[in-house]
Amino acid sequence: MLSTQALLSAIGVGEKSATVLGATFQWFLRDLTGMVGGILFTFYQGSNLDSNAKMWRLVADFMNDLGMLMDLVSPLYPSAFVLVVCLGSLSRSFTGVASGATRAALTQHFALQNNAADISAKEGSQETLATMIGMALGMLLARVTIGHPLFIWFSFLSLTIFHMYANYKAVQCLALTSLNVERSSIVLKHFMETGQVLSPAQVSKLEHILPTRISSWGSKKVKSLHTRIKLGVRVSSLKQQEMMILLRTAESHHCKGKYLIVERNKDISIVMHKNATAADVLQSFIHALVEAYQLKDDSAHSESQTWMDKNYEVFLLKLKSLGWKTERLLTPSIIWRADWILQFSR
């Protein structure tokens, strides 16, 4: 309500000098910028939303608050009014895409009885009720603070800080049972060190929520492991020496799965077979994590294969026993795949 009041004031509502055509054109530019921004955001980040639902849920709320801040600032810069409101609309367009996509992912998490439609309808009703109450209180606040810029800014900043804190705590409480790259790294490292698997609630306290790595949660080794894995690399991007290693791996007895692993400057690159399933993607990533964990040894590749043959099935069973979903790995879409003759043991 505070930001809308400021925006309408900046457009010229209530002033005789303001024209309908001018206000319409400014509003058109604002909406157009938001539409284009939503399309571009989906193009560049759409495949990452599902695998990092908690982070993008928080980012969506932050971008929404940033958009409202731009609206509130707009009357202070009349000469740059159109630019400021377009930036605010652009920020809110990111919110629309990210919040809609993450809401779908989180609804699936809460639908314990496969009743996603019921959960979504009830969540929408709760949000509508909360919005109605917020609008009533917002109208009262806007009326009380009108003509008092200091009170307006104090109220806005206080509510924004509380809003972000509440959303951060809410996202932190989510114990998702799906496996993404970071959660896989955390549970695997703990399993390799102790032989036990962490529960979703335990992992939720260790994983990063903020987009930037400013949190000190988790060990540095866990944080670095999954960032060193390149899943679904393009074969033509490999150097000649790396291609030779890849070919030797494909011809050896190690090539039983629908993926190939090669080390590249202490990073682990994974080439996926064109017929690889979701289970193969999960197995390839766990295999790459094991090899990355053992890179200090000269025989890391053979040792990682031995570990996979001995412990992978046990690892999956323990994950399932604690409620983890092991059908797939939440990861951005794998665009590049390759084809080779698979070898199966008889």
Side-chain angles (χ1 to χ4, degrees):
M1 287 297 173
L2 293 174
S3 62
T4 302
Q5 179 179 263
L7 178 62
L8 294 176
S9 174
I11 288 177
V13 174
E15 296 184 8
K16 295 182 179 180
S17 59
T19 64
V20 175
L21 181 61
T24 302
F25 181 70
Q26 292 173 344
W27 207 271
F28 165 76
L29 287 179
R30 174 177 175 269
D31 289 348
L32 179 64
T33 303
M35 293 175 187
V36 174
I39 294 173
L40 293 176
F41 179 76
T42 303
F43 178 78
Y44 285 105
Q45 292 294 338
S47 60
N48 294 323
L49 298 176
D50 195 48
S51 57
N52 293 291
K54 294 173 69 172
M55 183 195 76
W56 283 112
R57 176 67 262 180
L58 196 64
V59 169
D61 292 313
F62 172 76
M63 297 302 290
N64 186 50
D65 290 342
L66 184 61
M68 289 189 291
L69 177 63
M70 293 292 102
D71 289 344
L72 197 63
V73 167
S74 59
L76 303 179
Y77 301 95
S79 59
F81 169 75
V82 175
L83 175 62
V84 173
V85 296
C86 285
L87 289 176
S89 180
L90 186 66
S91 179
R92 274 191 299 273
S93 70
F94 298 163
T95 300
V97 176
S99 64
T102 54
R103 179 181 287 110
L106 297 179
T107 298
Q108 293 295 329
H109 167 71
F110 287 113
L112 301 180
Q113 300 177 0
N114 294 322
N115 56 340
D118 181 34
I119 296 295
S120 180
K122 291 176 178 176
E123 187 272 340
S125 297
Q126 292 176 1
E127 183 176 359
T128 301
L129 179 60
T131 302
M132 291 171 60
I133 297 173
M135 288 175 64
L137 295 176
M139 285 293 294
L140 178 62
L141 181 63
R143 185 174 181 84
V144 170
T145 59
I146 190 170
H148 301 83
L150 184 62
F151 289 157
I152 291 176
W153 278 102
F154 175 78
S155 301
F156 179 85
L157 294 177
S158 299
L159 290 170
T160 299
I161 292 172
F162 175 74
H163 176 237
M164 287 308 303
Y165 172 78
N167 276 285
Y168 177 80
K169 299 302 290 186
V171 170
Q172 192 179 30
C173 290
L174 282 172
L176 300 181
T177 57
S178 56
L179 289 170
N180 64 2
V181 293
E182 185 176 12
R183 289 192 284 272
S184 300
S185 301
I186 294 173
V187 294
L188 178 67
K189 178 179 182 292
H190 190 267
F191 179 76
M192 294 182 69
E193 293 178 348
T194 66
Q196 301 297 321
V197 171
L198 295 173
S199 67
Q202 291 172 312
V203 173
S204 67
K205 298 177 182 179
L206 299 174
E207 65 177 322
H208 296 280
I209 299 175
L210 300 175
T212 54
R213 297 297 188 256
I214 60 175
S215 173
S216 60
W217 300 339
S219 68
K220 295 182 178 179
K221 192 167 188 180
V222 168
K223 184 173 69 172
S224 63
L225 275 184
H226 67 274
T227 59
R228 290 157 57 188
I229 309 300
K230 310 300 179 185
L231 183 60
V233 299
R234 190 177 182 179
V235 174
S236 59
S237 67
L238 301 176
K239 297 179 180 179
Q240 183 176 4
Q241 183 179 3
E242 295 166 346
M243 278 295 301
M244 296 301 296
I245 297 174
L246 195 70
L247 290 173
R248 285 197 297 270
T249 303
E251 294 172 355
S252 70
H253 67 280
H254 296 311
C255 187
K256 299 176 184 178
K258 296 179 182 178
Y259 61 90
L260 297 171
I261 292 178
V262 60
E263 179 189 347
R264 305 175 66 190
N265 299 322
K266 296 192 177 182
D267 287 338
I268 305 296
S269 298
I270 305 174
V271 179
M272 297 304 306
H273 193 272
K274 69 174 186 177
N275 296 326
T277 63
D280 296 320
V281 173
L282 175 61
Q283 181 178 349
S284 70
F285 191 78
I286 296 298
H287 191 164
L289 285 175
V290 174
E291 184 163 335
Y293 187 80
Q294 298 174 336
L295 270 183
K296 57 186 177 181
D297 301 327
D298 295 333
S299 57
H301 185 75
S302 60
E303 288 185 6
S304 65
Q305 183 63 53
T306 302
W307 190 96
M308 290 293 293
D309 294 338
K310 182 180 178 181
N311 298 299
Y312 182 66
E313 294 299 329
V314 176
F315 178 58
L316 288 186
L317 288 175
K318 289 191 175 184
L319 285 175
K320 292 178 182 178
S321 67
L322 289 178
W324 288 101
K325 296 179 181 178
T326 59
E327 295 82 11
R328 62 187 289 252
L329 176 73
L330 295 179
T331 181
S333 301
I334 300 175
I335 300 175
W336 299 104
R337 293 175 181 256
D339 189 18
W340 63 87
I341 299 175
L342 297 172
Q343 299 178 12
F344 298 98
S345 57
R346 298 181 182 274

